[in-house]
Amino acid sequence: MPRYHPIEPAQLEWDDTTPQSREHGDIYFSRDGGVEETHHVFLNSNDLPQRWQQRDSFTIAETGFGTGLNFLCAVDLWLKTAPRDARLHFVSVEKHPLTHHDLQRALSSWPQFNAISTQLIDVYPPLVFGLHRRELFDGRITLTLLFGDATEILSELHAGIDAWFLDGFAPSKNPQMWSEALFKQITRLTKTGGTFATFTAAGIVRRGLKEAGFTVETVPGFGRKRDMLRGKLAHKSPAKSKQPWFEYPAVNVTEKRAIVIGGGLAGTTVSHSLARRGWHVTLIERHEELAQEASGNHSGVILPRLTADMGCDGQFYLSAFLHTVQWLNELKKRDETLPWFASGVLQLEDEKRMAQLQRLSLPKEIVEFCDTARTSELSGITVESGGLFFPMAGWAEPPALCRWLSGDQRNNINTIMHQEALRLERVNGEWQAFNTEGNVITAAPVAIVANGYDAERLLGNDTMTLQKVRGQIAYTPATPQSSQLKTPICYDGYLIPAHKGLHCTGATYDVNNESTEIKKEDQTQIIKALRDTLPAFDAQSPSGGRTAFRTSTQDHLPIIGPAPDLDFYREHYHDLHHGKPAHRYPVAQYQPNLFVTTGHGSRGLVTCPMAANIIAAALNGETLPLPSDLLDGVHPARLMVRNLKRKP
């Protein structure tokens, strides 16, 4: 992935309702009729909607999202002509996206698409570098927006494209985009038989697409443009993987049935994600109720973990955060009882750290840098430190959220309680889960391991090197003064607004302690840290607390993805330390249809929904919701590969 950098929004000049780019001196859509142009150039020339009539999913990719007009037209046609249970995936890249205000102004030009525009405006992401996946029309439409340079960011995309809309500013206005490198990425991502269409007939585009492997024909253009191009990728050579040991497997599942082991946040989010896609899931939980271990706290905070360099971990946590809050906001619209509270979150910081993070130039809708007066105003109590305020962040009640997720899709999720899956075995193309008595609990073609620290034992995989970390929290009674707190406050610990009469505050972090008892000295430590940080807060003595064990990893990133075939890795990647070129190694092999989501540590509320989306997308052959380098960063074999790369 290219290094993180701030996104510069499009600089526009307006001619009534028609925007024009100041940088490129070109208009965003035809004054002769933008909707008609989109239908002629992109929809009709890709033989749509005929090609999606018998498909349960179809993927369109676009260079240049612009005002979103092509997206509106494609979605409108899909909703009118596609099978009711089919899903459209629309992938679009934009180097200089429109601001939210400019997008609203542009979309007002087409009142016939108001139903689509309203949803697009509602889910349009903040202008942050990277990949943003959004769902519209209850999952019938998935929009993946990539903010960044087209060639660079497409090189990190996992997708199989059926049709391309090669849009953007004309080659004469923006020649750097229409490059050989871009055409190679288009070919890499296109399925055999996939097509393209573009408004231009420029020689650089015609020659570049031919050399990249497409058949190209010149056909009549729209309006005053005499010619345009369309074409097809008839044959495709296998692409060389940059890191074959992290390449995702092609999943071929004929029956949508899955076992999910673990009834905490990791298990219930992936069960819900699959069930919404029509899967029948059997969720196995060893306790009598869901969320009895690390996901059982009274309340928990949802905010990003920013880093000064915004490397892999910083980008992953920001992407996961943006996905999760959007997902929770959409669920809350469906059910106001959902235990998610979008209050914003205040994180106290020193001036040096704040100065480092200011260089990231993140939008104010992501983070606001506050002095002490502002932190007190936002929190509702007296705070004696400056900090960061995350307006989109908030807090949730994890056990209630787990119960809600399983109940929301009760027709597709069968929950088996008080059964512990001790062993998985592949028999006749299905995974069988065996209980403590050695009997089969259930079987399905797909299995997802989401049971925290026990994932290593169940998978027979000690290469993930999971850590079991004891954490203790304290519950303090709310008072009239303490109830003035409006937003969670994070410091070396955290304090959450009163919920059901109690504040949740914590938490300890103890790697070498497996005691399940509530320790008085830990309660004292938690309350002392709270009173030292917020002396004006009416912190009562604890009326209770809770101890649980987080599952963490050496690099503090979760483990998400397909379960590797360890024997294959040891046989074929044992000499990685020699530094041979990647293309000399075979593509990784995995245990068939077996996935894992674990190691979420203390940030499972942020990362579990993203993990669920990754696994569900992989199983359904969808565009994956993270770029390659971030997927590699949470890959189940990453620590094993790092060790193999070190010289013995």
Side-chain angles (χ1 to χ4, degrees):
M1 187 76 174
R3 185 176 176 83
Y4 172 88
H5 59 81
I7 289 294
E8 297 180 9
Q11 300 298 312
L12 304 182
E13 293 179 351
W14 292 85
D15 177 8
D16 293 328
T17 59
T18 304
Q20 176 172 304
S21 167
R22 290 180 191 166
E23 179 183 0
H24 299 292
D26 202 358
I27 56 175
Y28 276 82
F29 51 83
S30 172
R31 292 189 177 93
D32 295 333
V35 173
E36 293 79 6
E37 180 183 37
T38 293
H39 275 266
H40 176 86
V41 174
F42 298 118
L43 297 172
N44 297 342
S45 298
N46 275 296
D47 296 325
L48 307 179
Q50 292 82 1
R51 289 174 58 204
W52 64 45
Q53 290 304 312
Q54 305 302 319
R55 301 278 295 275
D56 59 3
S57 69
F58 194 86
T59 302
I60 296 171
E62 174 186 48
T63 55
F65 185 73
T67 62
L69 175 58
N70 295 338
F71 174 72
L72 298 184
C73 292
V75 170
D76 179 65
L77 190 62
W78 177 268
L79 295 175
K80 290 175 179 176
T81 64
R84 183 66 184 83
D85 58 350
R87 294 169 69 102
L88 174 66
H89 300 274
F90 195 97
V91 181
S92 188
V93 62
E94 180 59 64
K95 186 175 183 179
H96 299 296
L98 272 64
T99 65
H100 199 271
H101 176 267
D102 283 338
L103 181 68
Q104 284 184 297
R105 182 175 177 182
L107 294 178
S108 67
S109 301
W110 307 292
Q112 67 270 40
F113 298 134
N114 275 351
I116 306 170
S117 298
T118 299
Q119 292 202 30
L120 173 58
I121 291 167
D122 196 40
V123 303
Y124 192 65
L127 305 192
V128 175
F129 174 79
L131 189 155
H132 306 270
R133 179 178 169 130
R134 299 289 185 265
E135 289 192 351
L136 298 83
F137 293 95
D138 198 29
R140 286 192 70 189
I141 310 295
T142 299
L143 171 63
T144 302
L145 284 172
L146 297 90
F147 290 161
D149 177 81
T151 302
E152 291 181 339
I153 205 161
L154 286 175
S155 71
E156 297 289 337
L157 186 67
H158 279 263
I161 308 302
D162 294 294
W164 283 90
F165 297 175
L166 300 186
D167 205 356
F169 298 117
S172 59
K173 306 281 187 179
N174 186 22
Q176 60 269 32
M177 189 194 85
W178 303 89
S179 66
E180 178 185 354
L182 174 66
F183 300 139
K184 285 182 177 179
Q185 290 305 323
I186 290 170
T187 299
R188 180 184 70 84
L189 293 165
T190 305
K191 296 177 182 176
T192 299
T195 62
F196 81 87
T198 180
F199 65 92
T200 182
I204 186 177
V205 178
R206 183 175 60 253
R207 291 187 298 271
L209 287 166
K210 279 185 176 179
E211 290 172 4
F214 284 88
T215 59
V216 181
E217 63 174 321
T218 303
V219 295
F222 176 80
R224 285 169 282 186
K225 294 181 180 176
R226 186 182 66 181
D227 297 324
M228 57 166 279
L229 302 176
R230 55 174 286 177
K232 184 175 183 178
L233 188 66
H235 304 287
K236 185 173 180 178
S237 302
K240 294 180 180 178
S241 174
K242 292 184 290 186
Q243 299 203 78
W245 38 86
F246 292 144
E247 195 74 24
Y248 263 53
V251 177
N252 183 17
V253 180
T254 58
E255 193 175 357
K256 289 187 172 184
R257 289 188 297 113
I259 302 166
V260 175
I261 299 170
L265 283 165
T268 54
T269 51
V270 76
S271 296
H272 185 267
S273 193
L274 287 171
R276 285 200 67 202
R277 290 165 167 84
W279 285 68
H280 294 279
V281 178
T282 300
L283 176 62
I284 303 173
E285 168 54 47
R286 67 180 180 179
H287 296 287
E288 293 184 2
E289 295 183 27
L290 299 173
Q292 293 302 292
E293 299 196 25
S295 301
N297 287 352
H298 177 269
S299 37
V301 181
I302 298 175
L303 81 164
R305 177 178 174 266
L306 302 180
T307 61
D309 64 351
M310 286 303 283
C312 177
D313 52 346
Q315 289 192 52
F316 170 78
Y317 280 109
L318 180 56
S319 294
F321 166 76
L322 292 174
H323 166 77
T324 295
V325 296
Q326 179 64 38
W327 174 72
L328 287 169
N329 289 339
E330 290 300 312
L331 295 182
K332 187 88 171 183
K333 290 176 186 175
R334 291 173 44 205
D335 184 353
E336 292 184 355
T337 69
L338 185 80
W340 154 241
F341 309 94
S343 61
V345 172
L346 186 63
Q347 181 174 317
L348 306 184
E349 291 284 5
D350 60 43
E351 292 185 1
K352 180 179 178 181
R353 165 90 170 147
M354 290 172 65
Q356 291 174 334
L357 295 178
Q358 278 183 307
R359 300 189 192 108
L360 300 176
S361 299
L362 287 166
K364 285 187 177 180
E365 59 197 302
I366 299 290
V367 61
E368 178 185 344
F369 295 83
C370 307
D371 58 17
T372 55
R374 181 63 172 154
T375 56
S376 298
E377 176 188 357
L378 290 166
S379 65
I381 64 172
T382 300
V383 180
E384 299 178 359
S385 171
L388 312 175
F389 182 66
F390 298 94
M392 299 171 64
W395 57 282
E397 182 185 348
L401 178 59
C402 291
R403 292 191 295 270
W404 189 96
L405 291 169
S406 61
D408 181 57
Q409 297 290 326
R410 61 175 58 90
N411 291 335
N412 282 358
I413 300 177
N414 173 37
T415 304
I416 298 178
M417 309 301 296
H418 212 217
Q419 286 270 15
E420 184 170 11
L422 285 184
R423 181 165 59 89
L424 278 172
E425 186 175 330
R426 186 81 172 168
V427 179
N428 296 327
E430 291 198 330
W431 286 104
Q432 294 182 344
F434 291 84
N435 63 13
T436 52
E437 288 78 33
N439 299 320
V440 175
I441 304 171
T442 189
V446 171
I448 298 106
V449 176
N451 61 341
Y453 185 76
D454 289 329
E456 280 191 328
R457 171 185 52 77
L458 191 59
L459 293 171
N461 180 347
D462 60 357
T463 65
M464 296 187 295
T465 58
L466 297 175
Q467 293 178 315
K468 193 174 184 180
V469 182
R470 181 185 181 276
Q472 185 169 312
I473 58 173
Y475 297 138
T476 63
T479 68
Q481 190 266 7
S482 76
S483 296
Q484 300 301 308
L485 180 65
K486 297 186 290 188
T487 179
I489 299 179
C490 298
Y491 42 99
D492 288 339
Y494 61 82
L495 171 68
I496 300 178
H499 181 53
K500 299 179 180 178
L502 295 173
H503 294 282
C504 180
T505 185
T508 62
Y509 192 94
D510 195 343
V511 178
N512 299 312
N513 191 325
E514 296 203 13
S515 171
T516 59
E517 301 297 320
I518 295 177
K519 298 165 65 175
K520 183 178 179 180
E521 57 267 33
D522 283 0
Q523 299 294 76
T524 301
Q525 174 188 333
I526 291 168
I527 297 304
K528 182 180 185 302
L530 171 59
R531 289 173 175 163
D532 288 347
T533 305
L534 300 168
F537 181 75
D538 188 12
Q540 300 292 295
S541 297
S543 61
R546 188 172 187 274
T547 297
F549 296 91
R550 316 173 187 96
T551 302
S552 187
T553 63
Q554 291 178 345
D555 57 7
H556 304 293
L557 284 167
I559 290 171
I560 306 165
D565 180 332
L566 298 182
D567 290 337
F568 178 90
Y569 272 70
R570 293 187 182 106
E571 178 183 352
H572 293 279
Y573 302 142
H574 68 277
D575 61 346
L576 285 178
H577 61 278
H578 289 311
K580 292 191 299 186
H583 70 264
R584 295 180 60 181
Y585 290 95
V587 172
Q589 290 187 11
Y590 298 86
Q591 298 188 59
N593 299 342
L594 182 62
F595 284 74
V596 59
T597 165
T598 187
H600 296 276
S602 58
R603 295 183 177 269
L605 273 168
V606 176
T607 57
C608 285
M610 173 60 86
N613 204 13
I614 291 169
I615 292 171
L619 286 169
N620 284 273
E622 301 169 6
T623 300
L624 296 185
L626 284 178
S628 295
D629 69 329
L630 300 191
L631 289 169
D632 298 349
V634 297
H635 193 283
R638 69 180 185 271
L639 297 175
M640 183 181 190
V641 168
R642 285 176 202 169
N643 289 333
L644 290 170
K645 285 184 175 181
R646 293 178 182 141
K647 188 173 182 178

